[in-house]
């Protein structure tokens, strides 16, 4: 087969997630292996518009597989949402002789890529890099496993002090629209209750659960709360609510925040990134475009980007049930 | 449906693995949730033969989800391999009113469970607890993810010193019959080469790869070696071989050993253990027996124990290819 | 010498800190070694008033050296501040035949111990267990090193994402009255600026420093803020202030909170706890009382409790200078 | 005062240790702060002889404070032991206009520096970078705290599996001539016994201790062995010896090896490195030479290099006693 692709670019876009560097490395090295040129685009679509390109070879990505963040930097780019911005980006790619690109990011980044593809026909493959695990077409997004472990290690520490003082903690974790981190962390850290955007069982149930927990002799309680939970109260308001309605508890709050985005990626995320990077480049070389690489049943699969951004991976009902049983 | 099961037992058996405690907790709490009695059997089949049983309730397993090892202790038991030993075990279970049990362990433990089931008809469900990921019927065994991360963190440290001195390291990891830890760790830690039991590409290829690596300007190299690799040389002999045939390298050896078995389980292993524990108890309550719980495509599945112990999960050919590409 | 002490008690009191369990273990085992009885008092002075005592032997403290929190639980106790409360406590100790005790806690706990000693003559030795490092008479309090490492690891993660997005982060760490955690963490994590209670250089300087930092080409900035800093603004207000006055920065806030109190103690804290526990018991056996064990110049020293609670360890001026130089 | 120093160089030499990068950063930034030029010398004395110099400014050392190993690379250099080699080194320094230098390394590196100073009068200040803590004139060498924590975390993992199987482990740690890592790790990890070069209590005592341990009901035992212990047996021979003479134990061996040299430095080592780097540069600017920076009683102190290399920091007798008491 004649391979029309001579030069491939890679960028990271949107919120960063652990494993992005490992994915960049995989893309760059697969290009080297396939003997095509590779360009790194810095600062996401902003860098694409400004032509912030650097040629990368296999050695350019030495010793980054275990680094958090992204060496290519990332940014959210308003200008790429405009036709003028995208035209500039296209001109820059053409001027640099770039035939196609791999974008590592979340649904916002994918939407931009898809529009750009439809407008200019530049083949693009997406790699889902986001800690939220909220992309349709993959059972795991890049960074989810690392973020989950960061959360669980943090709650393990909080439990030490919670147990020592017989306290109740509300721990806020990331997840505006989906509760994957919260639900999995709740199960893994042995939380008493987990509040997620996908279901709102009401504040009454929370009080009941906490009452039962105290009665059963538990010495401390952790309630994991996703940012986007549907009780209508944030963690500080939940604290007040419980203190008022259930004064048997000494309540504290912890907002884990941005530590969840950083850190050296776990083995799982590094392997996943490596596999996705290879698959992304190979797919472009096979003439595919406007698709996202995902992992389903431990296999690499491709999903149209337009489908990927349409919905979220559903929360696992079985895991909700496991969570309920474990808190007895 | 009438539920004939009133009392369920749980034991850990064979080599320990991280996540066993989380699985014990899940079994115990599911029993509490289902309102059936639960007995803990200490020291594996040895404790079964000796009647080393302790009643456990939901609070007996507080604060163990994050602990490595197994609070129930584990042992390899010769006596259980004899009909007399198994008869004693059966008598003890009957005397204690135990109707069925969950065994958390590896293939040796499962073989014993299956024979016991065929002889005495005591329903048993297995949970695959072993770091080697070598059980058929599940994509991940309990403890594999934790062991893999332990290995990768260790190699990250070794790389620091390897890079500082431009050295070559042979790092031996666990895996007598299968190379899952070695292959995944090799990819995740950015190893130059990985030697696994499933394929023997010969020592020539190793030398070629190391020569190419040096030439390409890499400042250090890590070769991950599974215990059961098929080169016919252990890590110390590999060191000598390379020093003799490729004297450009300053070579060191590291045998990671038993640190791979311990440590607080990762989030993945804790969630997996919780799901498997629930599934195991529910399966027994549904009248099922002589099956192993596994995870396939992120779903809980059941496999006949006799099938589970017959083979290993095959090494992933795609991952071998990814590994090859990454070392360019 | 005739040893009048037959029974010694140990309690943890006030806020918990990592290493408390290691200190409890050391006290208990030293008693066993010296062949005197040891009683554990649960829940601090509250448990003392209520007679919540349990005899401990060398095996009672197996496998706790690496656990965060305190297995004896801790509490702040209002009743012990009253003469009636202390009388009850005395009666309980007498009834249980307890001759003396070791209290592991902070300055509040020590003040109570000293009053109690003066009223009832029960010999007491204090072990400074607090993450804040704010006790006079010791260069390091128990838990400080662990908390410091927890903070630094958290900031390392935050820096990953800060660098990827060229952001400025205000990170709030514990320290109401003293800035030891903040200053040391600032140096160790490479912070741009550190705001501590001991000095207020004003908001102008902060802006200057941030302007200089941006100009010098730094891609991200971390400002570590002790809870008790003297700018008059908390981290959220600092964010607003900088966004308004220095709009070149994209600013984020992270409040580390209670993760700083938990976690497995570092090697340093475990060794320190072991040494302090031995010294505390030996001092009581030598007839000493109302003293605190400390570490100065890597040696165990004793300081009158009344002196220990009077002041704080001063912030290290040389380290402030090091901090200033490093941020160039 | 007139400052004759215009250009300062920094190198790392000998075995690497965690914190070296933090020290390099501190030296470079202090030069920038003092407005003198700074040159990095790569690959230790080898690079000095070959003129492998690169000018470094404050930004050259961004984001290295948390990295293990040394970005300047290190090496042991035979040629620098010869007068000819040192002459070449001197010529290179002169050619590059380097007035003085800071060497970060162990006693071998310091001996070379001292000879060089006496021959050519180039002022040098040493920073003790070695995990062994075996340099006279400082209570802590750079990297010791990190290595100690790595060892303790590894033994914590080993204990998980040791306890699960009631096994005895011999764990070999670094320390050819001194037992600081072994003794501190033994105390911090709760080892049953610690074998160090500084004292040989004989194999009989080991057997007695292990017998007593089993009798007292301990479920597992860890014996920490420094490489240079004086029993005349290595860990594998110790295993055989105990298996033969005390067959009640199931014995395993773990050699921790090179993981002890790597890893992100602890907060303690990063702060220590920063302080030492500042002190080293300031001392050179004050006209001092042939001295080593150390930390004593938490203060920066200077010791003649010739004294520093003469002896080791003595093992702490009090800590040996603490170790003995804790193993009851």
């Amino acid at each position: 087969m004649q391979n029309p692709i001579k030069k491939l670019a890679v960028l990271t876009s949107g919120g960063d997630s652990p494993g992005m560097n490992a994915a960049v490395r995989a893309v760059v090295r697969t290009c080297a292996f396939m003997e095509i040129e590779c360009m790194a685009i810095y600062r996401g679509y902003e860098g694409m518009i400004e032509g912030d390109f650097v040629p990368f070879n296999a050695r350019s990505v030495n010793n980054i597989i275990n680094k958090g963040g992204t060496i290519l930097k990332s940014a959210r780019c308003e200008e790429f949402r405009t036709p003028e911005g995208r035209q500039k980006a296209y001109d820059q790619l053409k001027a640099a002789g770039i035939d196609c690109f791999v974008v590592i990011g979340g649904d916002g980044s994918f939407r931009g890529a898809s529009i750009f593809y439809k407008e200019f026909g530049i083949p693009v493959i997406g790699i889902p890099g986001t800690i939220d695990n909220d992309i349709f077409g993959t059972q795991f997004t890049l960074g989810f496993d690392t973020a989950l472990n960061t959360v669980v290690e943090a709650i393990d520490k909080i439990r030490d002090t919670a147990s020592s003082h017989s306290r109740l903690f509300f721990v806020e974790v990331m997840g505006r629209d989906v509760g994957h981190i919260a639900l999995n962390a709740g199960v893994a850290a042995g939380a008493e209750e987990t509040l997620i955007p996908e279901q709102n069982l009401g504040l009454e149930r929370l009080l009941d659960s906490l009452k039962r927990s105290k009665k059963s002799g538990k010495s401390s309680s952790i309630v994991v709360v996703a940012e986007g939970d549907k009780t209508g109260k944030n963690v500080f308001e939940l604290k007040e609510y419980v203190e008022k309605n259930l004064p048997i508890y000494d309540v504290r709050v912890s907002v884990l925040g941005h530590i969840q985005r950083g850190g050296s990626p776990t083995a799982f995320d590094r392997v996943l990134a490596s596999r996705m990077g290879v698959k992304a480049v190979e797919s472009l070389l096979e003439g595919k475009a406007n698709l996202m690489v995902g992992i389903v049943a431990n296999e690499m699969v491709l999903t149209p980007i337009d489908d990927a951004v349409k919905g979220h991976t559903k929360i696992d009902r079985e895991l909700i049930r496991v969570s309920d049983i474990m808190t007895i």
Side-chain angles (χ1 to χ4, degrees), chain A:
Chain A
M1 190 194 79
Q2 197 199 8
N3 177 12
I5 288 177
K6 292 202 171 61
K7 198 182 280 188
L8 183 153
V10 59
L11 72 158
T12 53
S13 169
D16 63 317
S17 75
M20 280 189 163
N21 280 327
V24 169
R25 173 181 178 268
V27 168
V28 172
R29 293 216 169 153
T30 308
C31 288
F33 188 88
M34 301 298 181
E35 298 184 339
I36 58 174
E37 286 180 73
C38 186
M39 297 292 269
I41 301 176
Y42 277 81
R43 294 177 296 120
Y45 291 121
E46 198 174 289
M48 191 187 276
I49 289 170
E50 297 174 13
D52 194 355
F53 306 153
V54 177
F56 264 37
N57 64 30
R59 293 289 71 73
S60 310
V61 289
N62 277 0
N63 294 321
I64 67 165
I65 194 171
N66 60 341
K67 303 284 182 289
T70 161
I71 61 163
L72 299 188
K73 309 279 180 183
S74 188
R76 288 190 170 82
C77 176
E78 286 305 313
E79 197 178 354
F80 197 72
R81 298 186 181 205
T82 67
E84 296 74 23
R86 291 192 295 272
Q87 180 68 49
K88 282 191 207 165
Y90 175 74
D91 295 343
Q92 293 282 9
L93 293 180
K94 281 296 100 178
I98 293 169
D99 302 309
C100 61
F101 67 96
V102 176
V103 58
I104 307 165
D107 50 7
S109 310
F110 288 171
R111 276 193 199 94
S114 180
I115 294 170
F116 190 65
Y117 173 71
K118 285 167 196 163
E119 287 177 348
F120 297 101
I122 302 272
V124 58
I125 299 282
I127 291 178
T130 163
I131 64 169
D132 290 328
N133 208 29
D134 61 347
I135 309 275
F136 183 79
T138 189
Q139 288 179 328
F140 300 100
T141 56
L142 209 51
F144 170 67
D145 186 61
T146 304
L148 180 57
N149 277 288
T150 299
V151 169
V152 170
E153 283 167 27
I155 301 180
D156 281 354
K157 288 189 211 288
I158 289 169
R159 184 175 294 285
D160 285 340
T161 188
S163 298
S164 299
H165 291 88
S166 303
R167 278 175 180 156
L168 165 65
F169 269 85
F170 286 100
V171 180
E172 186 190 284
V173 304
M174 287 190 170
R176 286 235 167 69
D177 303 310
V178 294
H180 292 292
I181 290 180
L183 179 59
N184 280 275
V187 170
E192 182 54 37
E193 197 68 46
T194 304
L195 307 181
I196 54 176
E198 287 87 347
Q199 66 174 9
N200 179 9
L201 302 171
L203 291 165
E204 283 305 312
R205 164 166 154 149
L206 177 63
L207 292 185
D208 285 349
S209 169
L210 292 173
K211 266 182 232 162
R212 203 183 56 230
S213 168
K214 196 71 164 187
K215 217 173 165 183
S216 81
K218 290 194 189 178
S219 66
S220 64
S221 289
I222 307 282
V223 177
V224 177
V225 185
E227 284 169 311
D229 95 284
K230 292 291 183 281
T231 56
K233 294 186 186 296
N234 69 28
V235 278
F236 298 99
E237 294 160 349
L238 285 169
K239 175 182 190 293
E240 275 178 40
Y241 178 79
V242 169
E243 282 175 335
K244 195 180 153 196
N245 291 283
L246 205 62
I248 50 171
Y249 273 105
D250 182 18
V251 193
R252 293 287 186 282
V253 161
S254 183
V255 176
L256 294 188
H258 280 80
I259 59 168
Q260 297 167 80
R261 292 208 173 276
S264 181
T266 57
F268 183 92
D269 275 330
R270 298 189 200 180
V271 171
L272 182 60
S274 302
R275 294 173 69 184
M276 285 180 161
V278 171
K279 181 71 177 178
V281 175
E282 289 186 338
S283 300
L284 285 168
L285 294 186
E286 289 165 7
K288 290 172 182 155
N290 210 24
L291 300 168
M292 184 195 76
V293 181
I295 183 168
V296 174
N298 212 19
E299 302 281 338
M300 290 292 102
V301 296
L302 294 168
T303 303
I305 281 186
D306 295 342
D307 294 350
V309 300
K310 242 180 243 161
H312 296 146
T313 305
K314 287 245 169 56
I315 203 80
D316 188 339
R317 291 284 142 191
E318 176 230 333
L319 192 54
I320 290 180
R321 185 173 147 70
V322 168
S323 176
D324 287 346
I325 294 174
M326 286 306 103
T327 59
I328 194 168

